[in-house]
Amino acid sequence: MRSEYFRESYLASEEIDTPDPSRHCFRGQQIVVHWAEPCRASREIVLTVRYGNRELETFCHPIKKKHGYWIYRLVNDDYWNHGGIVSYKVELYEAGVLVDHKEHHLWAEIINISDTPL
């Protein structure tokens, strides 16, 4: 998995210098998840994203092939409204059981502090 920023230079229109209404307002980030599985078991990728505005969002993607990739993109208004992607984790589940996981180097689980003393 990897994350990357993109802007106008990511657009094909920028490379060939053609008119594009998105050229001067295209900003965002994306997370690319690659997989290569030895078997064709029923598995699912769960992506949890932490945004700059401190919100968390979770996405699920079923794995239907032995190898491939999935891209989550946060672009333009969504990018600005969420404050970008700060960190993320990817989990691989098989039949509801966690098989593997990878975390962005800034990922940390949130510690909830209750008002009641211990």
Side-chain angles (χ1 to χ4, degrees):
M1 69 182 185
R2 72 177 192 275
S3 61
E4 53 193 24
Y5 289 92
F6 49 90
R7 51 191 175 280
E8 300 94 356
S9 61
Y10 193 82
L11 297 169
S13 59
E14 182 74 15
E15 292 296 317
I16 58 175
D17 197 27
T18 59
D20 188 334
S22 299
R23 179 180 262 173
H24 299 293
C25 62
F26 187 74
R27 292 281 190 271
Q29 285 174 274
Q30 67 183 12
I31 299 170
V32 182
V33 180
H34 293 269
W35 68 85
E37 292 296 317
C39 62
R40 288 193 56 102
S42 176
R43 293 189 173 188
E44 180 179 55
I45 293 172
V46 176
L47 170 67
T48 304
V49 179
R50 181 171 294 129
Y51 299 113
N53 64 0
R54 299 184 182 170
E55 291 179 8
L56 288 175
E57 194 166 8
T58 301
F59 305 93
C60 300
H61 180 76
I63 295 178
K64 297 181 180 179
K65 297 189 260 180
K66 290 174 75 170
H67 55 84
Y69 66 94
W70 173 51
I71 300 173
Y72 167 70
R73 287 187 175 157
L74 187 67
V75 193
N76 293 336
D77 288 343
D78 287 337
Y79 173 76
W80 297 112
N81 292 336
H82 284 94
I85 297 170
V86 173
S87 64
Y88 54 90
K89 71 175 176 179
V90 177
E91 299 169 310
L92 177 65
Y93 287 90
E94 182 176 340
V97 177
L98 181 63
V99 176
D100 197 6
H101 74 283
K102 299 287 181 192
E103 300 170 348
H104 181 263
H105 63 280
L106 294 178
W107 180 264
E109 296 295 334
I110 293 177
I111 300 171
N112 291 319
I113 301 172
S114 66
D115 293 335
T116 59
L118 296 176

